[in-house]
Amino acid sequence: MLNKLLGRKNKPERMYFPGQKRETVFTKLFRKVKALAESFSRRYKLTKSVHIYISGQKEQLIIAPQYVDKSGLIIEQEECFVYEYPVNSTKLGEELFRCINLFYYKDENIRIEKDSDWPAFKHSKCKTMKAFMNEYILISVSSTNDGNIILKMEGHPYKDSLLTINSTISCYLGGTLSKKRADELGNRIFLVYEACLSKQFS
């Protein structure tokens, strides 16, 4: 009646079955807040990852933090961190831990137009992509699930290699990093790198 007096259009009433509770303003609000919370949780429970590039020839190590875009594509961030190689294993472990925790969700779709726009390549000492792929060994480091407790290190002996060198190590990314664990992380990276170079396992 009030809607008619005010000139408002009547909304069709929701049908309820016998015994079914009517949805109040508070239950509607709770349902919306819960949906938003679940959406936020799905978006920000991230499986973190980072790329490490090592070249003994160029005496350079590059750590490239990453992010994931709306389409689910994981891309390197523009800012990479460059170090002289060889580097202390504890220092490497600490930098790996710091950089992998820079991983984040980017609320847009990103596309790299050209290979030369690849962030790690732009920070390398190479003039061409071919030289970069030949002279640097890529080691991908990622957590095995969104709990970010176990890290998987995957070494690529050469571009598009069918076989990779894999190793896992326990490291909770949400906690603090001890010197001992940092040293273990750095040493494990070196083991994967050496295995990629020699094609032999220790």
Side-chain angles (χ1 to χ4, degrees):
M1 180 64 73
L2 181 60
N3 284 338
K4 287 182 180 179
L5 290 172
L6 296 174
R8 295 173 182 165
K9 291 183 179 180
N10 286 326
K11 292 183 179 179
E13 290 212 13
R14 181 176 172 179
M15 297 292 292
Y16 289 91
F17 298 99
Q20 183 179 0
K21 292 182 179 180
R22 287 182 175 271
E23 192 173 44
T24 66
V25 173
F26 296 105
T27 55
K28 286 180 182 178
L29 181 61
F30 176 78
R31 182 163 51 82
K32 288 182 179 179
V33 170
K34 184 180 178 183
L36 285 171
E38 288 175 350
S39 174
F40 183 89
S41 177
R42 284 194 301 272
R43 179 174 293 182
Y44 290 98
K45 270 191 170 181
L46 298 174
T47 301
K48 300 177 180 181
S49 61
V50 70
H51 278 168
I52 298 176
Y53 300 86
I54 303 176
S55 172
Q57 184 177 350
K58 297 292 186 183
E59 298 182 340
Q60 191 177 58
L61 182 147
I62 303 168
I63 302 181
Q66 299 176 309
Y67 60 81
V68 60
D69 72 1
K70 287 176 69 174
S71 69
L73 187 65
I74 296 176
I75 306 172
E76 292 179 2
Q77 297 177 25
E78 281 298 317
E79 185 177 6
C80 298
F81 300 90
V82 182
Y83 308 92
E84 290 185 1
Y85 183 82
V87 63
N88 177 275
S89 59
T90 303
K91 172 70 173 176
L92 174 56
E94 290 171 344
E95 292 304 297
L96 163 60
F97 186 85
R98 182 181 67 84
C99 289
I100 198 171
N101 276 309
L102 295 177
F103 190 92
Y104 72 100
Y105 171 82
K106 193 162 189 173
D107 195 16
E108 56 183 295
N109 286 337
I110 304 296
R111 292 291 180 270
I112 295 178
E113 298 295 332
K114 304 177 293 184
D115 283 346
S116 57
D117 292 333
W118 195 343
F121 166 68
K122 292 194 290 187
H123 287 81
S124 73
K125 297 178 180 178
C126 296
K127 295 182 179 179
T128 65
M129 277 297 299
K130 183 178 180 181
F132 176 66
M133 299 307 298
N134 288 336
E135 294 174 18
Y136 284 79
I137 285 180
L138 165 62
I139 301 175
S140 305
V141 183
S142 60
S143 51
T144 56
N145 55 51
D146 58 21
N148 294 301
I149 297 173
I150 305 294
L151 291 183
K152 177 184 177 183
M153 301 173 178
E154 184 176 20
H156 304 259
Y158 52 87
K159 184 180 182 294
D160 299 326
S161 54
L162 295 177
L163 299 180
T164 58
I165 309 298
N166 295 324
S167 181
T168 58
I169 188 169
S170 173
C171 181
Y172 177 47
L173 298 178
T176 56
L177 186 70
S178 66
K179 291 286 184 183
K180 180 180 179 183
R181 184 48 51 91
D183 188 59
E184 290 172 351
L185 284 175
N187 275 319
R188 190 65 59 88
I189 290 292
F190 291 147
L191 285 175
V192 172
Y193 173 67
E194 292 297 332
C196 286
L197 283 178
S198 65
K199 316 297 188 296
Q200 295 179 354
F201 302 91
S202 57

